[in-house]
Amino acid sequence: VKDAEMEHAGQLNDKAGMNGTTVGGARVCERHGSFNGKVGGARAVDVATLKQESHNVVHREFRVDIEVEVQLRVEWEAI
C-alpha cells in the first residue's frame, strides 16, 4: 500500500485495527499493516476483497484514500 500524504499507509492500517484481518486465505500481517500475507489457499478474489476492506476502513476512520502499489492484472470483484 502506498504511503498516504500525511502518514504511512501501514500506520493507518495499524491504527484502524486492520492487523490480523483475514479474508479467505489472505491476511493483513499482524506485525505491520503494510504487508499482506497468506494463511493458505488465498485466491485473487481474497486479496482484492482484503485490499478493498482495508481501503474502506482507513477511509471511514481517517478520511484518507490509500493507493495500492501493486496493481492486479485482472479486475476482480470484491465480495
Side-chain angles (χ1 to χ4, degrees):
V1 180
K2 220 180 232 186
D3 292 344
E5 189 174 303
M6 299 180 71
E7 272 191 90
H8 293 283
Q11 291 172 323
L12 293 171
N13 270 337
D14 292 344
K15 289 180 179 179
M18 290 300 297
N19 294 19
T21 300
T22 302
V23 173
R27 174 177 59 200
V28 176
C29 181
E30 292 176 7
R31 291 180 41 202
H32 193 288
S34 284
F35 301 103
N36 288 330
K38 65 178 191 164
V39 180
R43 301 173 300 152
V45 70
D46 298 336
V47 175
T49 302
L50 183 60
K51 173 187 73 89
Q52 186 63 52
E53 178 66 15
S54 175
H55 179 273
N56 292 346
V57 170
V58 167
H59 186 265
R60 184 173 56 242
E61 293 290 321
F62 306 110
R63 300 288 183 240
V64 172
D65 286 319
I66 53 177
E67 273 184 62
V68 176
E69 287 179 337
V70 176
Q71 298 298 314
L72 299 175
R73 296 182 57 89
V74 178
E75 287 295 318
W76 295 92
E77 185 175 321
I79 52 174

